[in-house]
Amino acid sequence: MKTIRTPVLEIAYEEHGPADGRPVFLMHGFPDDIRCWDGVVGSLAAQGWRVIVPWLRGYGPTRFLDPATPRSGQQAALGADLLALMDALAIPRAHLAGYDWGGRACCVTAALWPERVAGLVSIGGYNIQNIARANRPAPAAQEARYWYQWYLHTERGQAGLEANRRDICRLLWRLWSPNWAFDDATFERTAVSFDNPDFVAVSVQSYRHRYGAAPGDPALDEIEARLAIQPAISVPTVVLHGEADGVSPPADSAGHARFFSGPYVRRVIPVAGHFLPQEAPGAVLAALAELPSS
């Protein structure tokens, strides 16, 4: 594990492969951590990639530098953190791969700063939120899948995540990846990252902000304004979607080609659910391999 300081965070990360290799950032989601990429990093490093795998804000050893900084999990924060990490590591351009929150960080960075992104693997499709439309009701089945989001809008839900974070997160793993028979040791390797002192605050703010129920960090207002127009992603992109994703079914990304103005391909991965990097690491490796090398 290494750490590096950005203007807001001390970001903890693992690095694999040659220091002069082609850089790629692998970004985890909620509720998960960098262990989700363990089936990917060894092969990439052996192929000569410089693989950087950070813990997001609110996870694992990553820490805020200032107690006064809002504990925001909004999409602008995730993208700004990834860009700041690239700057801190003096990496001018890299490939990006991510899902869920991490996929959002990658999509934000690719959309707003395309000169910094050589290629993108976005698991789940176009992950930039349309906050202006977020309160439009969805079909009942989708509203039910989002039960945890409505739960975290309440004080009971915030207290529940504080008290029962492992129980809740384990349930989400089971519901979102119904074909993945993970064991206790696999879950616990990741669950320690939920002990971060800011995990609950960042998670709650993320799910409230996306529906306009919590204010954002004023320092990120300019980025959020740019994201509000749903900017197109122009960099070469491969979208992967797990066929059995229990929170965001493949139909959700079926029409996302309109958000990508550059080379674009989408694949639905059989059997895999939401936690696709753990369930189908080969699909991630294949997607990165088909992107342009620079």
Side-chain angles (χ1 to χ4, degrees), residues 116-130:
R116 305 294 299 272
V117 182
L120 170 67
V121 176
S122 181
I123 298 169
Y126 182 82
N127 282 300
I128 296 174
Q129 296 157 346
N130 189 340

Side-chain angles (χ1 to χ4, degrees), residues 188-250:
E188 189 56 34
R189 278 196 296 272
T190 288
V192 293
S193 285
F194 311 150
D195 294 330
N196 182 296
D198 298 307
F199 173 73
V200 172
V202 169
S203 299
V204 168
Q205 196 279 345
S206 175
Y207 288 106
R208 293 182 183 181
H209 178 270
R210 67 185 64 190
Y211 294 100
D217 182 344
L220 301 169
D221 285 350
E222 187 270 337
I223 296 177
E224 285 291 351
R226 295 175 67 189
L227 297 175
I229 66 169
Q230 297 281 275
I233 292 174
S234 61
V235 307
T237 299
V238 178
V239 163
L240 304 177
H241 209 132
E243 181 184 44
D245 192 321
V247 66
S248 177

Side-chain angles (χ1 to χ4, degrees), residues 30-261:
F30 168 92
D32 210 346
D33 81 341
I34 71 167
R35 299 276 68 86
C36 71
W37 300 104
D38 284 353
V40 174
V41 293
S43 294
L44 290 178
Q47 294 168 27
W49 293 77
R50 180 185 178 188
V51 187
I52 298 150
V53 198
W55 281 269
L56 300 186
R57 56 169 57 200
Y59 291 82
T62 291
R63 294 291 186 271
F64 287 86
L65 299 179
D66 186 346
T69 300
R71 272 32 180 182
S72 170
Q74 67 193 92
Q75 59 183 351
L78 304 176
D81 288 349
L82 176 52
L83 184 70
L85 177 58
M86 294 176 70
D87 288 344
L89 293 171
I91 295 176
R93 200 159 183 257
H95 286 75
L96 308 178
Y99 85 97
D100 199 273
W101 287 26
R104 189 159 298 118
C106 294
C107 283
V108 169
T109 304
L112 299 187
W113 302 285
E115 71 281 0
R116 305 294 299 272
V117 182
L120 170 67
V121 176
S122 181
I123 298 169
Y126 182 82
N127 282 300
I128 296 174
Q129 296 157 346
N130 189 340
I131 294 175
R133 295 170 58 93
N135 281 309
R136 296 192 179 187
Q142 188 58 49
E143 299 281 35
R145 295 183 189 104
Y146 285 163
W147 68 268
Y148 67 102
Q149 299 187 16
W150 320 138
Y151 183 57
L152 293 179
H153 273 65
T154 69
E155 294 310 301
R156 179 188 176 104
Q158 182 167 347
L161 187 60
E162 186 69 58
N164 302 313
R165 60 190 75 187
R166 277 169 168 75
D167 187 35
I168 291 170
C169 294
R170 185 191 291 269
L171 175 61
L172 295 178
W173 279 33
R174 291 202 308 266
L175 294 174
W176 295 356
S177 286
N179 298 324
W180 179 30
F182 62 89
D183 58 20
D184 290 344
T186 298
F187 177 76
E188 189 56 34
R189 278 196 296 272
T190 288
V192 293
S193 285
F194 311 150
D195 294 330
N196 182 296
D198 298 307
F199 173 73
V200 172
V202 169
S203 299
V204 168
Q205 196 279 345
S206 175
Y207 288 106
R208 293 182 183 181
H209 178 270
R210 67 185 64 190
Y211 294 100
D217 182 344
L220 301 169
D221 285 350
E222 187 270 337
I223 296 177
E224 285 291 351
R226 295 175 67 189
L227 297 175
I229 66 169
Q230 297 281 275
I233 292 174
S234 61
V235 307
T237 299
V238 178
V239 163
L240 304 177
H241 209 132
E243 181 184 44
D245 192 321
V247 66
S248 177
D252 289 0
S253 67
H256 283 192
R258 69 188 187 277
F259 295 115
F260 297 88
S261 60

